[in-house]
Amino acid sequence: MIVLFNKPYNVLTKFTDEDGRANLSDYIKIPNVYAAGRLDKDSEGLLLLTDDGKLNHQLTDPKSKSYKTYVVQVEGDFSDEAARKLRLGILLKDGKTLPAKVKKIVPPDWIWARTPPIRERKNIPTSWIEISIKEGKNRQVRRMTAAVGFPTLRLIRSSIGQYDLGSLKSGEYKIIK
């Protein structure tokens, strides 16, 4: 079984939490499924869950990882030079990233309002980019955009390999297999 879930902001990517924070059990009532990978609580979007250990390994194994694509709102007017650096790979504290696919985009019309909304500064514009990576280092996209001078304000994963959000609203899921 494969479950596509549009994870809301501020929801943990696990089914239990000793501190009572919002987690997957608040949305998904399917027994014996587990997240294939993770998505930080302050990130939103596509999370795959499965009851198939072999498939879970295939989806998360670094040797066979698919591209994960994110729609990202960053602080500032995202530059061609920043995009060029991301395409070459960025040196982070835990090593150099693989080259990313990145482009500046107009804000997609399918994006939902976030609660709470992002912080906005009157004198600093924001930009939207689409970035695709094959790795999954901790908070990698956020660290990459910050390293080129454009801190991430909002991060939404839109696809993992062949799987995408489609028309799922925040907090919704669907079983596809």
Side-chain angles (χ1 to χ4, degrees):
M1 172 187 320
I2 297 175
V3 178
L4 305 180
F5 176 53
N6 187 346
K7 187 190 90 58
Y9 176 80
N10 213 23
V11 172
L12 298 175
T13 306
K14 58 183 184 174
F15 281 95
T16 59
D17 183 61
E18 55 283 348
D19 297 325
R21 295 173 292 182
N23 61 69
L24 297 178
S25 69
D26 296 318
Y27 296 89
I28 299 171
K29 307 296 184 195
I30 303 168
N32 302 315
V33 294
Y34 302 93
R38 62 190 186 280
L39 197 55
D40 296 325
K41 78 176 182 108
D42 51 352
S43 298
E44 307 164 76
L46 183 62
L47 183 67
L48 297 179
L49 298 99
T50 182
D51 61 353
D52 181 338
K54 186 176 176 183
L55 176 61
N56 192 323
H57 179 75
Q58 178 185 345
L59 292 168
T60 58
D61 181 26
K63 293 181 181 122
S64 62
K65 275 192 177 179
S66 301
Y67 273 101
K68 295 179 291 283
T69 299
Y70 301 84
V71 173
V72 185
Q73 187 176 15
V74 296
E75 187 174 84
D77 185 12
F78 192 75
S79 68
D80 291 341
E81 178 61 15
R84 185 188 70 75
K85 289 177 180 177
L86 293 172
R87 287 185 194 112
L88 293 173
I90 294 292
L91 185 59
L92 301 174
K93 288 180 183 176
D94 54 351
K96 188 173 182 180
T97 65
L98 293 174
K101 298 177 182 178
V102 62
K103 63 183 174 183
K104 189 172 179 178
I105 60 172
V106 298
D109 58 5
W110 52 263
I111 291 184
W112 53 91
R114 192 185 90 174
T115 305
I118 64 154
R119 64 176 165 79
E120 299 240 10
R121 297 185 190 182
K122 291 180 182 175
N123 298 327
I124 300 176
T126 66
S127 303
W128 287 87
I129 63 171
E130 181 180 88
I131 184 167
S132 298
I133 61 172
K134 285 188 102 167
E135 300 166 289
K137 295 177 182 182
N138 188 40
R139 300 178 69 82
Q140 182 173 341
V141 172
R142 292 176 187 281
R143 293 188 298 138
M144 288 171 70
T145 64
V148 295
F150 296 91
T152 292
L153 299 172
R154 188 168 183 196
L155 187 141
I156 302 167
R157 184 161 54 199
S158 58
S159 69
I160 301 170
Q162 65 182 345
Y163 305 104
D164 64 48
L165 276 176
S167 61
L168 284 177
K169 292 179 173 54
S170 183
E172 290 183 344
Y173 71 87
K174 73 176 177 178
I175 299 169
I176 60 168
K177 284 187 184 177

mmCIF file of all heavy atoms in Angstrom, residues 125-167:
data_model
loop_
_atom_site.group_PDB
_atom_site.id
_atom_site.type_symbol
_atom_site.label_atom_id
_atom_site.label_comp_id
_atom_site.label_asym_id
_atom_site.label_seq_id
_atom_site.Cartn_x
_atom_site.Cartn_y
_atom_site.Cartn_z
ATOM 1 N N PRO A 125 11.467 41.964 -0.392
ATOM 2 C CA PRO A 125 10.589 41.143 -1.228
ATOM 3 C C PRO A 125 10.813 39.652 -0.967
ATOM 4 O O PRO A 125 11.777 39.265 -0.303
ATOM 5 C CB PRO A 125 11.032 41.519 -2.650
ATOM 6 C CG PRO A 125 12.477 41.896 -2.497
ATOM 7 C CD PRO A 125 12.582 42.545 -1.138
ATOM 8 N N THR A 126 9.918 38.848 -1.479
ATOM 9 C CA THR A 126 10.106 37.406 -1.439
ATOM 10 C C THR A 126 10.053 36.878 -2.869
ATOM 11 O O THR A 126 9.526 37.534 -3.765
ATOM 12 C CB THR A 126 9.047 36.686 -0.575
ATOM 13 O OG1 THR A 126 7.767 36.826 -1.179
ATOM 14 C CG2 THR A 126 9.028 37.233 0.842
ATOM 15 N N SER A 127 10.620 35.694 -3.050
ATOM 16 C CA SER A 127 10.621 35.030 -4.356
ATOM 17 C C SER A 127 10.210 33.581 -4.157
ATOM 18 O O SER A 127 10.347 33.035 -3.062
ATOM 19 C CB SER A 127 12.028 35.029 -4.967
ATOM 20 O OG SER A 127 12.545 36.324 -5.105
ATOM 21 N N TRP A 128 9.761 32.967 -5.234
ATOM 22 C CA TRP A 128 9.440 31.541 -5.227
ATOM 23 C C TRP A 128 10.392 30.838 -6.168
ATOM 24 O O TRP A 128 10.681 31.336 -7.277
ATOM 25 C CB TRP A 128 8.007 31.311 -5.674
ATOM 26 C CG TRP A 128 7.000 31.711 -4.645
ATOM 27 C CD1 TRP A 128 6.460 32.958 -4.463
ATOM 28 C CD2 TRP A 128 6.418 30.878 -3.648
ATOM 29 N NE1 TRP A 128 5.575 32.941 -3.411
ATOM 30 C CE2 TRP A 128 5.520 31.675 -2.896
ATOM 31 C CE3 TRP A 128 6.558 29.528 -3.315
ATOM 32 C CZ2 TRP A 128 4.781 31.169 -1.830
ATOM 33 C CZ3 TRP A 128 5.818 29.025 -2.259
ATOM 34 C CH2 TRP A 128 4.942 29.834 -1.529
ATOM 35 N N ILE A 129 10.902 29.685 -5.722
ATOM 36 C CA ILE A 129 11.748 28.859 -6.566
ATOM 37 C C ILE A 129 11.230 27.427 -6.529
ATOM 38 O O ILE A 129 10.511 27.038 -5.606
ATOM 39 C CB ILE A 129 13.239 28.896 -6.144
ATOM 40 C CG1 ILE A 129 13.435 28.327 -4.730
ATOM 41 C CG2 ILE A 129 13.804 30.295 -6.264
ATOM 42 C CD1 ILE A 129 14.895 28.126 -4.333
ATOM 43 N N GLU A 130 11.588 26.680 -7.552
ATOM 44 C CA GLU A 130 11.355 25.238 -7.561
ATOM 45 C C GLU A 130 12.731 24.605 -7.543
ATOM 46 O O GLU A 130 13.590 24.950 -8.351
ATOM 47 C CB GLU A 130 10.584 24.827 -8.807
ATOM 48 C CG GLU A 130 10.283 23.336 -8.851
ATOM 49 C CD GLU A 130 9.524 22.968 -10.111
ATOM 50 O OE1 GLU A 130 10.200 22.684 -11.123
ATOM 51 O OE2 GLU A 130 8.285 22.992 -10.074
ATOM 52 N N ILE A 131 12.938 23.690 -6.594
ATOM 53 C CA ILE A 131 14.241 23.042 -6.467
ATOM 54 C C ILE A 131 14.037 21.543 -6.337
ATOM 55 O O ILE A 131 13.142 21.090 -5.628
ATOM 56 C CB ILE A 131 15.045 23.627 -5.276
ATOM 57 C CG1 ILE A 131 16.444 23.031 -5.210
ATOM 58 C CG2 ILE A 131 14.297 23.483 -3.966
ATOM 59 C CD1 ILE A 131 17.380 23.772 -4.270
ATOM 60 N N SER A 132 14.850 20.791 -7.067
ATOM 61 C CA SER A 132 14.796 19.327 -7.025
ATOM 62 C C SER A 132 16.156 18.804 -6.601
ATOM 63 O O SER A 132 17.187 19.206 -7.157
ATOM 64 C CB SER A 132 14.431 18.746 -8.387
ATOM 65 O OG SER A 132 13.149 19.183 -8.790
ATOM 66 N N ILE A 133 16.133 17.894 -5.608
ATOM 67 C CA ILE A 133 17.366 17.301 -5.091
ATOM 68 C C ILE A 133 17.193 15.794 -4.971
ATOM 69 O O ILE A 133 16.067 15.303 -4.869
ATOM 70 C CB ILE A 133 17.774 17.896 -3.726
ATOM 71 C CG1 ILE A 133 16.687 17.644 -2.673
ATOM 72 C CG2 ILE A 133 18.094 19.381 -3.856
ATOM 73 C CD1 ILE A 133 17.087 18.033 -1.253
ATOM 74 N N LYS A 134 18.310 15.074 -4.969
ATOM 75 C CA LYS A 134 18.267 13.610 -4.807
ATOM 76 C C LYS A 134 18.656 13.193 -3.397
ATOM 77 O O LYS A 134 18.404 12.068 -3.011
ATOM 78 C CB LYS A 134 19.211 12.934 -5.805
ATOM 79 C CG LYS A 134 18.680 12.916 -7.210
ATOM 80 C CD LYS A 134 19.540 12.074 -8.094
ATOM 81 C CE LYS A 134 18.858 10.749 -8.311
ATOM 82 N NZ LYS A 134 19.442 9.968 -9.392
ATOM 83 N N GLU A 135 19.277 14.091 -2.660
ATOM 84 C CA GLU A 135 19.723 13.764 -1.308
ATOM 85 C C GLU A 135 18.605 14.041 -0.316
ATOM 86 O O GLU A 135 17.558 14.546 -0.668
ATOM 87 C CB GLU A 135 20.930 14.620 -0.940
ATOM 88 C CG GLU A 135 22.092 14.420 -1.864
ATOM 89 C CD GLU A 135 23.119 15.505 -1.684
ATOM 90 O OE1 GLU A 135 22.852 16.646 -2.078
ATOM 91 O OE2 GLU A 135 24.185 15.184 -1.138
ATOM 92 N N GLY A 136 18.890 13.771 0.934
ATOM 93 C CA GLY A 136 17.923 14.050 1.979
ATOM 94 C C GLY A 136 18.610 14.392 3.286
ATOM 95 O O GLY A 136 18.229 13.915 4.343
ATOM 96 N N LYS A 137 19.637 15.234 3.220
ATOM 97 C CA LYS A 137 20.312 15.654 4.443
ATOM 98 C C LYS A 137 19.341 16.476 5.289
ATOM 99 O O LYS A 137 18.415 17.090 4.760
ATOM 100 C CB LYS A 137 21.553 16.484 4.114
ATOM 101 C CG LYS A 137 22.626 15.714 3.378
ATOM 102 C CD LYS A 137 23.797 16.600 3.025
ATOM 103 C CE LYS A 137 24.833 15.813 2.244
ATOM 104 N NZ LYS A 137 26.005 16.606 1.929
ATOM 105 N N ASN A 138 19.586 16.501 6.581
ATOM 106 C CA ASN A 138 18.707 17.211 7.498
ATOM 107 C C ASN A 138 18.555 18.687 7.094
ATOM 108 O O ASN A 138 19.543 19.398 6.962
ATOM 109 C CB ASN A 138 19.265 17.108 8.925
ATOM 110 C CG ASN A 138 18.322 17.658 9.958
ATOM 111 O OD1 ASN A 138 17.111 17.464 9.879
ATOM 112 N ND2 ASN A 138 18.876 18.347 10.922
ATOM 113 N N ARG A 139 17.315 19.094 6.881
ATOM 114 C CA ARG A 139 16.967 20.486 6.543
ATOM 115 C C ARG A 139 17.787 21.011 5.351
ATOM 116 O O ARG A 139 18.151 22.182 5.278
ATOM 117 C CB ARG A 139 17.105 21.381 7.771
ATOM 118 C CG ARG A 139 16.182 20.932 8.908
ATOM 119 C CD ARG A 139 16.315 21.753 10.153
ATOM 120 N NE ARG A 139 15.819 23.109 10.014
ATOM 121 C CZ ARG A 139 14.537 23.480 10.110
ATOM 122 N NH1 ARG A 139 13.610 22.582 10.327
ATOM 123 N NH2 ARG A 139 14.199 24.735 9.985
ATOM 124 N N GLN A 140 18.059 20.135 4.407
ATOM 125 C CA GLN A 140 18.984 20.448 3.324
ATOM 126 C C GLN A 140 18.556 21.647 2.482
ATOM 127 O O GLN A 140 19.371 22.532 2.221
ATOM 128 C CB GLN A 140 19.178 19.223 2.421
ATOM 129 C CG GLN A 140 20.167 19.487 1.304
ATOM 130 C CD GLN A 140 20.500 18.251 0.506
ATOM 131 O OE1 GLN A 140 20.288 17.136 0.955
ATOM 132 N NE2 GLN A 140 21.025 18.456 -0.680
ATOM 133 N N VAL A 141 17.333 21.677 2.023
ATOM 134 C CA VAL A 141 16.912 22.784 1.149
ATOM 135 C C VAL A 141 17.016 24.112 1.901
ATOM 136 O O VAL A 141 17.513 25.100 1.362
ATOM 137 C CB VAL A 141 15.486 22.560 0.594
ATOM 138 C CG1 VAL A 141 14.990 23.802 -0.135
ATOM 139 C CG2 VAL A 141 15.468 21.352 -0.338
ATOM 140 N N ARG A 142 16.590 24.136 3.143
ATOM 141 C CA ARG A 142 16.687 25.360 3.945
ATOM 142 C C ARG A 142 18.143 25.811 4.086
ATOM 143 O O ARG A 142 18.459 27.000 3.960
ATOM 144 C CB ARG A 142 16.078 25.140 5.330
ATOM 145 C CG ARG A 142 14.587 24.948 5.300
ATOM 146 C CD ARG A 142 14.039 24.637 6.694
ATOM 147 N NE ARG A 142 12.638 24.306 6.632
ATOM 148 C CZ ARG A 142 11.653 25.189 6.523
ATOM 149 N NH1 ARG A 142 11.932 26.476 6.479
ATOM 150 N NH2 ARG A 142 10.396 24.802 6.450
ATOM 151 N N ARG A 143 19.025 24.864 4.340
ATOM 152 C CA ARG A 143 20.438 25.220 4.489
ATOM 153 C C ARG A 143 21.046 25.666 3.167
ATOM 154 O O ARG A 143 21.894 26.561 3.126
ATOM 155 C CB ARG A 143 21.212 24.044 5.090
ATOM 156 C CG ARG A 143 20.781 23.766 6.536
ATOM 157 C CD ARG A 143 21.644 22.734 7.239
ATOM 158 N NE ARG A 143 21.587 21.443 6.591
ATOM 159 C CZ ARG A 143 22.648 20.662 6.386
ATOM 160 N NH1 ARG A 143 23.839 21.027 6.767
ATOM 161 N NH2 ARG A 143 22.503 19.493 5.800
ATOM 162 N N MET A 144 20.611 25.057 2.073
ATOM 163 C CA MET A 144 21.139 25.433 0.755
ATOM 164 C C MET A 144 20.727 26.857 0.382
ATOM 165 O O MET A 144 21.559 27.637 -0.072
ATOM 166 C CB MET A 144 20.645 24.446 -0.309
ATOM 167 C CG MET A 144 21.288 23.076 -0.216
ATOM 168 S SD MET A 144 20.508 21.858 -1.322
ATOM 169 C CE MET A 144 21.038 22.465 -2.930
ATOM 170 N N THR A 145 19.451 27.181 0.561
ATOM 171 C CA THR A 145 19.013 28.532 0.180
ATOM 172 C C THR A 145 19.661 29.584 1.076
ATOM 173 O O THR A 145 20.042 30.650 0.606
ATOM 174 C CB THR A 145 17.472 28.672 0.193
ATOM 175 O OG1 THR A 145 16.972 28.498 1.513
ATOM 176 C CG2 THR A 145 16.827 27.708 -0.783
ATOM 177 N N ALA A 146 19.815 29.264 2.364
ATOM 178 C CA ALA A 146 20.479 30.211 3.270
ATOM 179 C C ALA A 146 21.940 30.416 2.864
ATOM 180 O O ALA A 146 22.457 31.542 2.928
ATOM 181 C CB ALA A 146 20.388 29.713 4.709
ATOM 182 N N ALA A 147 22.601 29.350 2.421
ATOM 183 C CA ALA A 147 24.020 29.428 2.049
ATOM 184 C C ALA A 147 24.254 30.342 0.850
ATOM 185 O O ALA A 147 25.348 30.886 0.699
ATOM 186 C CB ALA A 147 24.567 28.030 1.759
ATOM 187 N N VAL A 148 23.228 30.524 0.015
ATOM 188 C CA VAL A 148 23.383 31.425 -1.133
ATOM 189 C C VAL A 148 22.702 32.772 -0.875
ATOM 190 O O VAL A 148 22.512 33.567 -1.787
ATOM 191 C CB VAL A 148 22.889 30.783 -2.460
ATOM 192 C CG1 VAL A 148 23.762 29.593 -2.828
ATOM 193 C CG2 VAL A 148 21.419 30.409 -2.411
ATOM 194 N N GLY A 149 22.340 33.030 0.390
ATOM 195 C CA GLY A 149 21.840 34.349 0.769
ATOM 196 C C GLY A 149 20.341 34.553 0.686
ATOM 197 O O GLY A 149 19.872 35.697 0.735
ATOM 198 N N PHE A 150 19.568 33.474 0.567
ATOM 199 C CA PHE A 150 18.114 33.590 0.441
ATOM 200 C C PHE A 150 17.428 32.630 1.417
ATOM 201 O O PHE A 150 17.058 31.513 1.050
ATOM 202 C CB PHE A 150 17.678 33.311 -1.004
ATOM 203 C CG PHE A 150 18.211 34.321 -1.974
ATOM 204 C CD1 PHE A 150 19.432 34.119 -2.610
ATOM 205 C CD2 PHE A 150 17.517 35.497 -2.220
ATOM 206 C CE1 PHE A 150 19.942 35.063 -3.482
ATOM 207 C CE2 PHE A 150 18.028 36.453 -3.092
ATOM 208 C CZ PHE A 150 19.239 36.241 -3.725
ATOM 209 N N PRO A 151 17.241 33.067 2.670
ATOM 210 C CA PRO A 151 16.635 32.180 3.668
ATOM 211 C C PRO A 151 15.242 31.703 3.255
ATOM 212 O O PRO A 151 14.452 32.460 2.696
ATOM 213 C CB PRO A 151 16.555 33.049 4.924
ATOM 214 C CG PRO A 151 17.491 34.181 4.689
ATOM 215 C CD PRO A 151 17.571 34.374 3.210
ATOM 216 N N THR A 152 14.961 30.448 3.552
ATOM 217 C CA THR A 152 13.652 29.864 3.256
ATOM 218 C C THR A 152 12.613 30.381 4.240
ATOM 219 O O THR A 152 12.813 30.341 5.445
ATOM 220 C CB THR A 152 13.730 28.322 3.333
ATOM 221 O OG1 THR A 152 14.550 27.860 2.255
ATOM 222 C CG2 THR A 152 12.354 27.683 3.218
ATOM 223 N N LEU A 153 11.488 30.830 3.704
ATOM 224 C CA LEU A 153 10.350 31.258 4.511
ATOM 225 C C LEU A 153 9.265 30.183 4.552
ATOM 226 O O LEU A 153 8.580 30.018 5.548
ATOM 227 C CB LEU A 153 9.758 32.557 3.952
ATOM 228 C CG LEU A 153 10.701 33.749 3.923
ATOM 229 C CD1 LEU A 153 10.059 34.916 3.165
ATOM 230 C CD2 LEU A 153 11.072 34.167 5.334
ATOM 231 N N ARG A 154 9.102 29.492 3.439
ATOM 232 C CA ARG A 154 8.086 28.446 3.339
ATOM 233 C C ARG A 154 8.600 27.369 2.398
ATOM 234 O O ARG A 154 9.156 27.687 1.342
ATOM 235 C CB ARG A 154 6.781 29.036 2.805
ATOM 236 C CG ARG A 154 5.636 28.052 2.857
ATOM 237 C CD ARG A 154 4.315 28.716 2.598
ATOM 238 N NE ARG A 154 3.248 27.720 2.735
ATOM 239 C CZ ARG A 154 2.026 27.883 2.285
ATOM 240 N NH1 ARG A 154 1.676 29.018 1.705
ATOM 241 N NH2 ARG A 154 1.128 26.939 2.428
ATOM 242 N N LEU A 155 8.402 26.102 2.774
ATOM 243 C CA LEU A 155 8.900 24.990 1.972
ATOM 244 C C LEU A 155 7.796 23.950 1.834
ATOM 245 O O LEU A 155 7.269 23.473 2.834
ATOM 246 C CB LEU A 155 10.134 24.382 2.656
ATOM 247 C CG LEU A 155 10.868 23.323 1.850
ATOM 248 C CD1 LEU A 155 12.362 23.477 2.042
ATOM 249 C CD2 LEU A 155 10.446 21.944 2.279
ATOM 250 N N ILE A 156 7.448 23.645 0.586
ATOM 251 C CA ILE A 156 6.388 22.682 0.291
ATOM 252 C C ILE A 156 6.954 21.629 -0.666
ATOM 253 O O ILE A 156 7.379 21.962 -1.781
ATOM 254 C CB ILE A 156 5.174 23.368 -0.372
ATOM 255 C CG1 ILE A 156 4.626 24.472 0.529
ATOM 256 C CG2 ILE A 156 4.099 22.335 -0.722
ATOM 257 C CD1 ILE A 156 3.644 25.403 -0.158
ATOM 258 N N ARG A 157 6.955 20.368 -0.241
ATOM 259 C CA ARG A 157 7.395 19.307 -1.155
ATOM 260 C C ARG A 157 6.228 18.972 -2.063
ATOM 261 O O ARG A 157 5.145 18.633 -1.598
ATOM 262 C CB ARG A 157 7.862 18.073 -0.390
ATOM 263 C CG ARG A 157 8.417 17.016 -1.337
ATOM 264 C CD ARG A 157 9.298 15.994 -0.674
ATOM 265 N NE ARG A 157 8.645 15.347 0.451
ATOM 266 C CZ ARG A 157 9.302 14.700 1.411
ATOM 267 N NH1 ARG A 157 10.619 14.650 1.417
ATOM 268 N NH2 ARG A 157 8.648 14.124 2.387
ATOM 269 N N SER A 158 6.463 19.068 -3.364
ATOM 270 C CA SER A 158 5.391 18.843 -4.334
ATOM 271 C C SER A 158 5.457 17.470 -4.981
ATOM 272 O O SER A 158 4.436 16.957 -5.437
ATOM 273 C CB SER A 158 5.406 19.926 -5.412
ATOM 274 O OG SER A 158 6.662 19.961 -6.068
ATOM 275 N N SER A 159 6.652 16.846 -5.006
ATOM 276 C CA SER A 159 6.734 15.507 -5.594
ATOM 277 C C SER A 159 7.943 14.747 -5.078
ATOM 278 O O SER A 159 8.927 15.332 -4.626
ATOM 279 C CB SER A 159 6.773 15.579 -7.127
ATOM 280 O OG SER A 159 7.980 16.141 -7.576
ATOM 281 N N ILE A 160 7.808 13.422 -5.163
ATOM 282 C CA ILE A 160 8.902 12.488 -4.878
ATOM 283 C C ILE A 160 8.884 11.499 -6.029
ATOM 284 O O ILE A 160 7.961 10.695 -6.152
ATOM 285 C CB ILE A 160 8.696 11.743 -3.547
ATOM 286 C CG1 ILE A 160 8.586 12.705 -2.366
ATOM 287 C CG2 ILE A 160 9.828 10.734 -3.322
ATOM 288 C CD1 ILE A 160 8.149 12.057 -1.066
ATOM 289 N N GLY A 161 9.881 11.594 -6.909
ATOM 290 C CA GLY A 161 9.911 10.710 -8.072
ATOM 291 C C GLY A 161 8.627 10.827 -8.868
ATOM 292 O O GLY A 161 8.218 11.915 -9.256
ATOM 293 N N GLN A 162 7.946 9.701 -9.075
ATOM 294 C CA GLN A 162 6.729 9.673 -9.890
ATOM 295 C C GLN A 162 5.473 10.108 -9.127
ATOM 296 O O GLN A 162 4.413 10.256 -9.705
ATOM 297 C CB GLN A 162 6.508 8.262 -10.432
ATOM 298 C CG GLN A 162 6.237 7.241 -9.334
ATOM 299 C CD GLN A 162 6.074 5.839 -9.871
ATOM 300 O OE1 GLN A 162 5.896 5.640 -11.062
ATOM 301 N NE2 GLN A 162 6.140 4.853 -8.993
ATOM 302 N N TYR A 163 5.594 10.302 -7.821
ATOM 303 C CA TYR A 163 4.437 10.636 -6.998
ATOM 304 C C TYR A 163 4.369 12.143 -6.771
ATOM 305 O O TYR A 163 5.385 12.775 -6.488
ATOM 306 C CB TYR A 163 4.519 9.922 -5.648
ATOM 307 C CG TYR A 163 4.678 8.432 -5.789
ATOM 308 C CD1 TYR A 163 5.903 7.818 -5.572
ATOM 309 C CD2 TYR A 163 3.604 7.631 -6.155
ATOM 310 C CE1 TYR A 163 6.057 6.444 -5.709
ATOM 311 C CE2 TYR A 163 3.748 6.256 -6.304
ATOM 312 C CZ TYR A 163 4.973 5.677 -6.076
ATOM 313 O OH TYR A 163 5.116 4.330 -6.221
ATOM 314 N N ASP A 164 3.159 12.725 -6.874
ATOM 315 C CA ASP A 164 3.021 14.157 -6.620
ATOM 316 C C ASP A 164 1.756 14.462 -5.826
ATOM 317 O O ASP A 164 0.882 13.614 -5.664
ATOM 318 C CB ASP A 164 3.085 14.971 -7.912
ATOM 319 C CG ASP A 164 1.946 14.688 -8.863
ATOM 320 O OD1 ASP A 164 0.776 14.678 -8.428
ATOM 321 O OD2 ASP A 164 2.209 14.477 -10.057
ATOM 322 N N LEU A 165 1.685 15.682 -5.330
ATOM 323 C CA LEU A 165 0.554 16.110 -4.503
ATOM 324 C C LEU A 165 -0.777 16.065 -5.243
ATOM 325 O O LEU A 165 -1.813 15.841 -4.623
ATOM 326 C CB LEU A 165 0.763 17.548 -4.013
ATOM 327 C CG LEU A 165 1.605 17.751 -2.786
ATOM 328 C CD1 LEU A 165 1.787 19.231 -2.520
ATOM 329 C CD2 LEU A 165 1.002 17.065 -1.578
ATOM 330 N N GLY A 166 -0.732 16.322 -6.542
ATOM 331 C CA GLY A 166 -1.989 16.382 -7.284
ATOM 332 C C GLY A 166 -2.908 17.425 -6.671
ATOM 333 O O GLY A 166 -2.489 18.530 -6.362
ATOM 334 N N SER A 167 -4.149 17.059 -6.430
ATOM 335 C CA SER A 167 -5.125 18.012 -5.896
ATOM 336 C C SER A 167 -5.354 17.858 -4.394
ATOM 337 O O SER A 167 -6.310 18.413 -3.855
ATOM 338 C CB SER A 167 -6.454 17.848 -6.640
ATOM 339 O OG SER A 167 -6.943 16.532 -6.446
#
